[in-house]
Amino acid sequence: MLATVLSGALVGIDGLLVEVEVDVALGLPQFTTVGLPEGAVRESKDRVRSAIKNSGYEFPARKITVNLAPADIKKEGSAYDLPIALGILAAAGYLDKQRLAEYVLFGELSLDGRVKPVQGILPLAVMAKDRGLKGLLVPQANAAEAAVVDGVAVFGVPSLSEAFLFLNQQQELVAESVNLQDVFAAHGVYDTDFRDVKGQDHVKRAFEVAASGGHNLLLIGPPGAGKTMLARRLPTILPDMTLAEAIDATKVHSVAGLLDGQALVATRPFRSPHHTISDAGLIGGGAVPKPGEVSLAHHGVLFLDELPEFRKNVLEVLRQPLEDARVTISRASGSITYPANIMLVSAMNPCPCGFLGDAQHECRCTPQQIQRYRAKVSGPLLDRIDIQVEVPAVPYKELSQEQTAENSATLRARVNRARQVQLARFSGRRVFCNAHMTSQDIGRFCQPDRAGQQLLENAMARLGLSARAYTRILKVARTIADLAGEEHVGGAHIAEAIQYRALDRQQGHRP
């Protein structure tokens, strides 16, 4: 007899409907799985056999063939255990096939029949809703995650026997429900705040400008100046996260198995990989490509500390994600695209020893050593960083004094107002902030007044600024004007934007 059970596969962060076809026929006892199953799927036969027997059901001593369709898509993971087990019971005549076909099933089985959690439930729940299916049967630990998707019934099942009884209408289950407002209230709180930062007022201002325009940021300063502390607080002043952004970010974390029981990623992600990371670890990869740190930071911040210590090939692969806001990983079997709409924040020392320009420590680096150190960061990558700001060491006097600094909520309110101005400016287009403006946009929205033009001309000549610095200054100046609530870019906005080109200014002063 034949039974068909609906399940799903992951292609990137999207769900694909998979039909689990189970045929139980006369013949010598045999269990075969076809349809491009990976190792964990092929091993499911042993888990399924033990789970059925230990749940009190009879395992058919016949020829069992399981086909996972479409057969040209690789199937990986342990989420097919539950649909395969129920498909065998339905094909053996123990289960109502018609009711079984109304639900999508996912779950790994333990040998005693318990249903264990799996990765990627949220994208699969979205797929089930888009297909107009009645509901999902998922592991109880994944139920809250799946219930984030409105419009589809989600039932968490703790064991194979409870799933069997529910599908046979011998037991009722209560559909899982999640109040998204409560989730945002519970998980949308940051544990860091800008009011903890003492001193560094000009650096805080640079962070506010970067957050307002979505500009990538480079911090240059000695060890212990607070670069990492500042970077960790950037997500707290980024614009309020929308539900659509939260679901997008949760999809990536769900596929990577990093939700840790959370139903939703309600705060902007902050990812800080070590400088020894590989290019595959940064942008994603593997035989079956998984999301990397760039995608895990989607709608949040990717922080690269000690930027020149990263391998050159690792930094070079960042260029496509920063340009396109997505990562495409190609393999012989096809290509997968992961989202990567991030703000890049990086930090570096001014020289190999870290104390160039520090009044408290002497720098012993030669000009050649400094040049080699900075050359580790390529021009094309610097091309994509709008703001370069120096972070000096904080004097003892400022550290020891009690200061009342602005908190993150106050800064975020100003950032939200500036972003609303930009959303109105670019309405109906695929540009959402000043950092993503094209050359045509710069010519239309960023032209400074006469005083600004004169100031920019003098800066280009005296500091030797490049053409890329010119466009970056105009973009940042537009953001500064938006923060000030001014329609036109003026000289004061240009002057402040020039101050955010630390490396360009230093290069301009070289003999």
Side-chain angles (χ1 to χ4, degrees), residues 161 197 270 276 282 289 381 406-407 433 457 499 510:
S161 59
V197 181
F270 180 87
T276 57
L282 189 63
L381 180 60
E406 285 187 310
N407 60 23
C433 59
E457 182 180 349
Q499 296 302 309
R510 289 178 185 169

Side-chain angles (χ1 to χ4, degrees), residues 346-403:
S346 50
M348 61 182 287
N349 295 332
C351 65
C353 76
F355 297 114
L356 178 65
D358 191 343
Q360 303 298 322
H361 301 83
E362 181 183 358
C363 174
R364 299 181 180 274
C365 302
T366 65
Q368 292 78 15
Q369 288 174 324
I370 296 172
Q371 177 62 27
R372 283 198 300 270
Y373 177 74
R374 294 185 177 180
K376 292 180 180 180
V377 184
S378 69
L381 180 60
L382 285 176
D383 229 358
R384 292 159 174 82
I385 298 178
D386 294 349
I387 296 178
Q388 308 161 359
V389 62
E390 293 176 290
V391 185
V394 182
Y396 170 77
K397 186 176 180 180
E398 291 186 12
L399 285 173
S400 60
Q401 286 180 343
E402 288 294 331
Q403 296 181 347

Side-chain angles (χ1 to χ4, degrees), residues 255-427:
V255 169
L258 297 177
L259 284 180
D260 295 327
Q262 277 185 251
L264 198 66
V265 176
T267 56
R268 294 196 177 272
F270 180 87
R271 304 293 299 183
S272 179
H274 193 261
H275 62 77
T276 57
I277 193 171
S278 66
D279 51 357
L282 189 63
I283 68 163
V288 178
K290 293 294 185 182
E293 293 290 334
V294 172
S295 296
L296 291 171
H298 183 50
H299 290 313
V301 175
L302 177 68
F303 177 51
L304 302 183
D305 200 6
E306 304 293 345
L307 185 65
E309 302 302 325
F310 284 80
R311 290 193 292 272
K312 188 171 183 179
N313 66 303
V314 174
L315 293 180
E316 289 305 304
V317 297
L318 272 176
R319 290 161 58 179
Q320 184 221 354
L322 292 177
E323 195 72 29
D324 302 333
R326 63 180 183 271
V327 172
T328 301
I329 305 169
S330 297
R331 294 289 182 268
S333 57
S335 62
I336 289 178
T337 298
Y338 288 111
N341 186 7
I342 64 168
M343 271 190 67
L344 174 67
V345 180
S346 50
M348 61 182 287
N349 295 332
C351 65
C353 76
F355 297 114
L356 178 65
D358 191 343
Q360 303 298 322
H361 301 83
E362 181 183 358
C363 174
R364 299 181 180 274
C365 302
T366 65
Q368 292 78 15
Q369 288 174 324
I370 296 172
Q371 177 62 27
R372 283 198 300 270
Y373 177 74
R374 294 185 177 180
K376 292 180 180 180
V377 184
S378 69
L381 180 60
L382 285 176
D383 229 358
R384 292 159 174 82
I385 298 178
D386 294 349
I387 296 178
Q388 308 161 359
V389 62
E390 293 176 290
V391 185
V394 182
Y396 170 77
K397 186 176 180 180
E398 291 186 12
L399 285 173
S400 60
Q401 286 180 343
E402 288 294 331
Q403 296 181 347
T404 305
E406 285 187 310
N407 60 23
S408 293
T410 302
L411 295 172
R412 186 167 62 248
R414 293 202 294 266
V415 169
N416 279 327
R417 286 195 294 270
R419 283 290 184 104
Q420 290 302 318
V421 171
Q422 294 164 49
L423 289 174
R425 176 183 298 135
F426 304 122
S427 177

Side-chain angles (χ1 to χ4, degrees), residues 30-253:
Q30 184 180 357
F31 196 131
T32 306
T33 304
V34 297
L36 286 185
E38 293 293 303
V41 184
R42 290 195 298 270
E43 292 173 354
S44 67
K45 61 183 180 181
D46 299 312
R47 294 190 298 272
V48 166
R49 181 183 290 108
S50 295
I52 289 176
K53 289 182 177 179
N54 291 327
S55 296
Y57 305 109
E58 182 181 350
F59 187 84
R62 297 188 177 188
K63 181 181 179 181
I64 299 173
T65 304
V66 176
N67 178 45
L68 306 175
D72 58 342
I73 302 293
K74 284 187 177 180
K75 319 300 187 308
E76 62 165 351
S78 54
Y80 300 103
D81 289 3
L82 182 63
I84 289 174
L86 291 172
I88 290 173
L89 293 174
Y94 302 124
L95 192 60
D96 182 0
K97 296 180 184 178
Q98 185 173 356
R99 181 170 166 80
L100 181 62
E102 296 175 346
Y103 295 89
V104 187
L105 282 67
F106 314 100
E108 176 184 338
L109 290 174
S110 63
L111 299 185
D112 61 0
R114 287 178 294 114
V115 181
K116 303 172 73 173
V118 294
Q119 299 177 6
I121 285 293
L122 181 58
L124 297 171
V126 173
M127 176 270 297
K129 177 186 176 182
D130 293 342
R131 289 276 187 164
L133 297 169
K134 184 175 180 178
L136 295 88
L137 264 64
V138 301
Q140 204 164 43
N142 293 127
E145 176 190 342
V148 167
V149 180
D150 191 25
V152 61
V154 176
F155 299 95
V157 290
S159 65
L160 173 62
S161 59
E162 291 209 22
F164 178 89
L165 294 173
F166 171 74
L167 291 170
N168 246 5
Q169 298 185 347
Q170 295 174 277
Q171 179 177 318
E172 289 297 322
L173 293 176
V174 178
E176 186 78 16
S177 63
V178 171
N179 188 316
L180 292 180
Q181 297 302 322
D182 291 344
V183 172
F184 268 114
H187 299 289
V189 179
Y190 297 93
D191 56 4
T192 56
D193 198 287
F194 260 96
R195 67 184 169 201
D196 303 328
V197 181
K198 294 186 177 182
Q200 306 287 23
D201 290 338
H202 74 290
V203 185
K204 292 180 195 175
R205 170 65 177 178
F207 270 80
E208 182 180 343
V209 173
S212 298
H215 303 288
N216 298 323
L217 183 67
L218 173 63
L219 306 175
I220 308 162
K227 302 186 293 293
T228 302
M229 181 182 185
L230 285 158
R232 287 189 179 279
R233 282 154 177 77
L234 178 57
T236 68
I237 65 170
L238 289 176
D240 296 324
M241 204 168 190
T242 65
L243 178 59
E245 288 176 333
I247 290 177
D248 281 348
T250 305
K251 280 183 179 180
V252 181
H253 284 71

